Amino acid sequence: MEWKSSVSSQEAEILLVEDNPGDVRLVRELFIDASIANTLHAVATEEEALDFLNKRGEFADTPRPDIILLDWHLPQATGEDVLRAIKNNHELDQVPVIVLTGSTAGEDLLISSEVQPDAYLTKPLNPDDFVSLIRSFELFWLTVLRSSSNP
């Protein structure tokens, strides 16, 4: 599923791996509210994520994402399984991966993982806090990192 916001000429390709349709809708709405220029691609399973990233099947013509937002709790696999597949693929291992977790023990979950994301974010329950999180995300991940990778 793809959704496009065209607020700026420096658009980011973002892959959201999230099985909860409500969370996908919320992220889309918050990106609009925060005026983040992006094309947000959303998939719900490990299989869809890996097909998207490896350009297989229905995802054969998809662009390489600039960043991956990965839910740590997926229905048939863990975020760790997806993260491991990304970090073990030479063509994908440089794409920043931010793990999203609803758990306040998110850091503890990740510390025990053998593979590490570039960052993790705890999903706030309050919508206003989620908006602040998305704006911080835009400022750092989509501005600072994009600028440093495109001198």
Side-chain angles (χ1 to χ4, degrees), residues 10-14 36-41 65-67 142 146:
Q10 282 210 312
E11 192 168 283
E13 297 288 341
I14 301 170
I36 297 175
N38 69 82
T39 300
L40 182 66
H41 307 270
D66 295 306
I67 196 161
L142 300 181
R146 190 161 248 231

Side-chain angles (χ1 to χ4, degrees), residues 100-135:
L100 301 173
T101 178
S103 169
T104 55
E107 186 175 10
D108 294 338
L109 292 171
L110 296 174
I111 288 172
S112 65
S113 173
E114 66 184 56
V115 289
Q116 295 296 306
D118 295 285
Y120 83 93
L121 298 172
T122 302
K123 297 177 197 174
L125 297 176
N126 179 322
D128 291 335
D129 292 341
F130 213 144
V131 169
S132 295
L133 180 68
I134 293 298
R135 287 195 175 120

Side-chain angles (χ1 to χ4, degrees), residues 4-146:
K4 191 171 189 166
S5 168
S6 55
V7 229
S8 160
S9 61
Q10 282 210 312
E11 192 168 283
E13 297 288 341
I14 301 170
L15 176 61
L16 173 61
V17 184
E18 171 61 68
D19 64 308
N20 182 328
D23 284 351
V24 172
R25 186 175 55 254
L26 179 61
V27 169
R28 285 188 176 145
E29 291 171 2
L30 292 173
F31 274 48
I32 290 171
D33 291 346
S35 299
I36 297 175
N38 69 82
T39 300
L40 182 66
H41 307 270
V43 296
T45 67
E46 172 193 25
E47 183 179 350
E48 287 177 333
L50 296 177
D51 284 350
F52 184 100
L53 292 166
N54 291 297
K55 300 177 177 283
R56 295 187 295 234
E58 69 179 283
F59 302 107
D61 296 325
T62 58
R64 175 85 48 201
D66 295 306
I67 196 161
I68 300 165
L69 300 176
L70 174 62
D71 182 12
W72 198 243
H73 300 285
L74 297 171
Q76 297 173 333
T78 66
E80 183 175 3
D81 296 330
V82 177
L83 183 60
R84 183 180 301 107
I86 293 167
K87 295 301 182 182
N88 288 331
N89 182 325
H90 181 65
E91 293 180 21
L92 300 172
D93 65 354
Q94 295 304 309
V95 177
V97 178
I98 299 175
V99 167
L100 301 173
T101 178
S103 169
T104 55
E107 186 175 10
D108 294 338
L109 292 171
L110 296 174
I111 288 172
S112 65
S113 173
E114 66 184 56
V115 289
Q116 295 296 306
D118 295 285
Y120 83 93
L121 298 172
T122 302
K123 297 177 197 174
L125 297 176
N126 179 322
D128 291 335
D129 292 341
F130 213 144
V131 169
S132 295
L133 180 68
I134 293 298
R135 287 195 175 120
S136 298
F137 169 83
E138 176 190 28
L139 178 64
F140 184 73
W141 290 101
L142 300 181
T143 305
V144 175
L145 288 183
R146 190 161 248 231

